[in-house]
Amino acid sequence: MITKQKGTNDIYGDAAKKRTYINDILAALCEKYNYGYIETPVFEASELFHRSVGEETDMVQKETYDFKDRGDRSITLRPEGTAPVVRWFVENKLYGNLTDPVKVFYNMKMYRYERPQSGRMREFTQWGFECFGSSDVMSDAEVISLAYNAYRLLGLDDIVVELNSLGDKESRQNYHDALVKYFEPHIHDLCEDCQERFKKNPLRILDCKVDAESSIIKNAPKTLDYLNEESKSRYERLKELLDMMDINYIENTRLVRGLDYYNHTVFEISLNGSYALGGGGRYNGLVETLDGPETPAVGFAMGLDRCLLAMEENGVNIPINDSIDVYILSVSETEKETACYLTQELRLNGFITETDTMNKSLKSQFKSVDRFNSKYLIVLNDEELKTNKITIKDNKTKEEESININDLVDYLDMHM
Ligand code: HAM
């Protein structure tokens, strides 16, 4: 028997319904913030992620699904959505006439070769938003507001935004120099990967999973102490805007995020200090890194699977429809023809309708009515049909009424 791959899931039944519920809420919310939907391909040139996410990140070093296609091209399964969206933005030259920000959202499967555990999958879904064209702190605030309200609309009221700033290029360089100076005497006490990170990108030492609890990492310099005046005042302004919008945030001076493309704002959203439900930030240099002109941008991505888990763990009531509107029972050939026609008619008029397609006995069809928890049932009868009549029964009150077959839709419209 062939089984599913480790870290993947078949999504069906109630889990599928719950996702549809979340998807509908998030899509409607993104629309309110005037974001347009985008989907990018599942696979891209490997170079896209190597150049953008960063060669020294865990994602590129350990987690990407890389392979050669039959044309010997290096291909990577999408591990995140920002780089592909930037690739789309540059490829379509959307920077050309930027009178307003370009704002898009996505709901896409991502692939990372991680050790599977609760909330960590190899195939998972991200809901993400990206906004291009504004360097103003108002757009950081808008993205944080969208992310924050997404969780709240889903019933996760106790979420916290963890906030930090990495500053502009100059501030980041100052911070980089401070980290080099700080880690140099301790480097041999850190893991082998960190020794490599020290040479290539010391910032990455801060999100090492092996040394996370080491006091060396815990006492490392903090980004905020190395911000220049401009970056500092930008960060202060952002906090003022978040206060104005009543967004519950805390500063986390250790937050650097696991991807290389960020500057200025970085943030993560979590519940009771548990793992990140989502993360994002500003990435002003990424369009240039991917061969476009200098374009400011900011974005966020939510892990849908983690969000769903958090909703379940916190007892959020997710409405799931477990009933149908009408079941039509039939036995003879002519009754079946009418059933065929009527089910289509009802479905096209918005009623969830079922009928027997297995040539079952009437007794078994009645059992289906109960299994599907049908609100109404109609037992077709050739005699009755001769006069264009059908009998519709309310399955709860058991009341029945004989009506003209042409009045069925109106009848249900009135009664449901
Ligand atoms: P990220 O922090 O790598 O950021 O991922 C965002 C979210 O995806 C995480 O907070 C988590 O909820 C979810 N996630 C990540 N890995 C897994 C996994 N293996 N299983 C289940 N869920 C997972 C990004 O991907 C950036 N592109 C976000 C961004 C958008 N920055 C700017 N724009």
Side-chain angles (χ1 to χ4, degrees):
M1 186 179 59
I2 301 169
T3 56
K4 64 181 187 293
Q5 292 296 299
K6 206 170 160 184
T8 67
N9 262 332
D10 299 309
I11 297 158
Y12 61 96
D14 284 356
K17 287 183 184 169
K18 287 177 182 174
R19 279 169 182 255
T20 305
Y21 169 80
I22 296 179
N23 287 341
D24 290 348
I25 289 181
L26 296 182
L29 181 67
C30 288
E31 214 173 86
K32 305 290 182 303
Y33 280 76
N34 202 22
Y35 279 66
Y37 185 65
I38 185 171
E39 264 178 49
T40 64
V42 167
F43 60 90
E44 298 270 0
S46 299
E47 192 192 347
L48 174 65
F49 300 107
H50 287 239
R51 252 159 73 183
S52 56
V53 172
E55 291 286 358
E56 294 316 307
T57 56
D58 270 3
M59 193 190 285
V60 167
Q61 289 282 320
K62 300 176 185 165
E63 295 168 6
T64 47
Y65 277 87
D66 300 319
F67 60 95
K68 286 273 169 97
D69 74 3
R70 289 171 197 270
D72 209 31
R73 300 172 195 89
S74 294
I75 300 291
T76 295
L77 295 188
R78 179 179 60 201
E80 61 103 47
T82 310
V85 171
V86 173
R87 195 258 315 129
W88 158 82
F89 179 82
V90 174
E91 195 171 336
N92 290 283
K93 300 191 174 52
L94 297 178
Y95 44 76
N97 192 13
L98 260 186
T99 42
D100 291 296
V102 171
K103 307 201 284 190
V104 288
F105 73 94
Y106 47 84
N107 167 16
M108 302 196 292
K109 286 271 160 84
M110 304 294 167
Y111 301 85
R112 297 185 192 176
Y113 194 82
E114 294 196 82
R115 184 139 25 101
Q117 59 187 63
S118 168
R120 187 182 296 153
M121 305 291 296
R122 290 185 175 169
E123 182 186 67
F124 61 98
T125 302
Q126 273 188 358
W127 258 92
F129 339 110
E130 314 291 348
C131 170
F132 297 91
S134 171
S135 58
D136 195 277
V137 72
M138 279 281 282
S139 61
D140 304 49
E142 185 182 275
V143 165
I144 295 177
S145 144
L146 170 51
Y148 185 73
N149 289 319
Y151 294 100
R152 288 174 47 94
L153 270 184
L154 293 173
L156 294 171
D157 290 324
D158 297 333
I159 46 152
V160 179
V161 179
E162 290 181 43
L163 187 68
N164 195 16
S165 173
L166 303 174
D168 59 9
K169 227 177 189 172
E170 185 191 57
S171 312
R172 281 189 61 137
Q173 188 57 46
N174 292 342
Y175 185 56
H176 173 276
D177 297 346
L179 286 179
V180 170
K181 209 165 152 195
Y182 171 80
F183 280 125
E184 203 160 26
H186 304 292
I187 195 62
H188 295 294
D189 301 322
L190 295 175
C191 74
E192 253 174 51
D193 280 352
C194 280
Q195 299 184 18
E196 226 19 63
R197 291 175 183 128
F198 178 73
K199 286 186 221 145
K200 295 182 177 151
N201 186 352
L203 189 80
R204 292 276 68 91
I205 296 177
L206 299 176
D207 47 49
C208 173
K209 289 172 188 114
V210 179
D211 289 324
E213 292 308 311
S214 136
S215 61
I216 302 172
I217 291 191
K218 284 189 169 162
N219 296 326
K222 296 172 180 153
T223 55
L224 295 185
D225 295 331
Y226 296 86
L227 298 185
N228 56 20
E229 278 314 310
E230 213 181 315
S231 301
K232 208 178 283 174
S233 68
R234 192 182 191 287
Y235 181 57
E236 291 306 320
R237 181 69 185 144
L238 175 61
K239 289 192 287 180
E240 281 170 14
L241 294 177
L242 297 184
D243 285 336
M244 265 170 221
M245 291 190 288
D246 263 340
I247 290 177
N248 184 17
Y249 69 86
I250 51 168
E251 289 184 83
N252 176 354
T253 53
R254 264 173 230 301
L255 184 69
V256 292
R257 307 271 299 127
L259 308 101
D260 274 355
Y261 46 63
Y262 294 110
N263 43 48
H264 288 296
T265 310
V266 283
F267 69 105
E268 279 186 359
I269 295 189
S270 61
L271 204 59
N272 327 317
S274 166
Y275 53 48
L277 294 175
R282 180 161 282 283
Y283 51 93
N284 286 349
L286 188 54
V287 174
E288 255 179 306
T289 304
L290 295 175
D291 306 319
E294 197 179 331
T295 309
V298 56
F300 171 83
M302 158 196 290
L304 182 75
D305 313 74
R306 288 189 190 176
C307 182
L308 192 53
L309 268 180
M311 288 167 78
E312 284 167 351
E313 282 167 13
N314 285 272
V316 174
N317 177 36
I318 306 176
I320 293 178
N321 181 18
D322 60 356
S323 64
I324 65 167
D325 297 324
V326 186
Y327 194 103
I328 300 179
L329 299 85
S330 59
V331 178
S332 75
E333 283 305 308
T334 41
E335 286 164 5
K336 287 198 180 298
E337 282 164 20
T338 307
C340 227
Y341 152 79
L342 271 187
T343 42
Q344 170 174 271
E345 193 67 7
L346 291 182
R347 286 164 178 167
L348 291 178
N349 278 283
F351 299 104
I352 308 172
T353 311
E354 262 298 359
T355 193
D356 167 48
T357 55
M358 295 173 80
N359 210 12
K360 289 192 290 200
S361 68
L362 207 53
K363 194 174 162 203
S364 307
Q365 291 184 46
F366 274 111
K367 284 188 183 153
S368 298
V369 172
D370 289 338
R371 269 197 301 274
F372 286 123
N373 199 11
S374 187
K375 296 186 185 103
Y376 287 91
L377 62 143
I378 299 167
V379 188
L380 293 177
N381 175 309
D382 279 329
E383 277 308 305
E384 225 186 349
L385 286 172
K386 278 185 196 155
T387 57
N388 264 351
K389 291 270 179 173
I390 52 175
T391 301
I392 181 156
K393 182 172 177 181
D394 182 321
N395 202 20
K396 206 169 177 187
T397 61
K398 307 295 177 202
E399 278 169 21
E400 40 179 67
E401 209 169 320
S402 172
I403 60 170
N404 188 295
I405 194 164
N406 298 318
D407 296 336
L408 177 58
V409 169
D410 286 346
Y411 179 90
L412 287 170
D413 271 337
M414 255 170 42
H415 287 78
M416 288 189 53

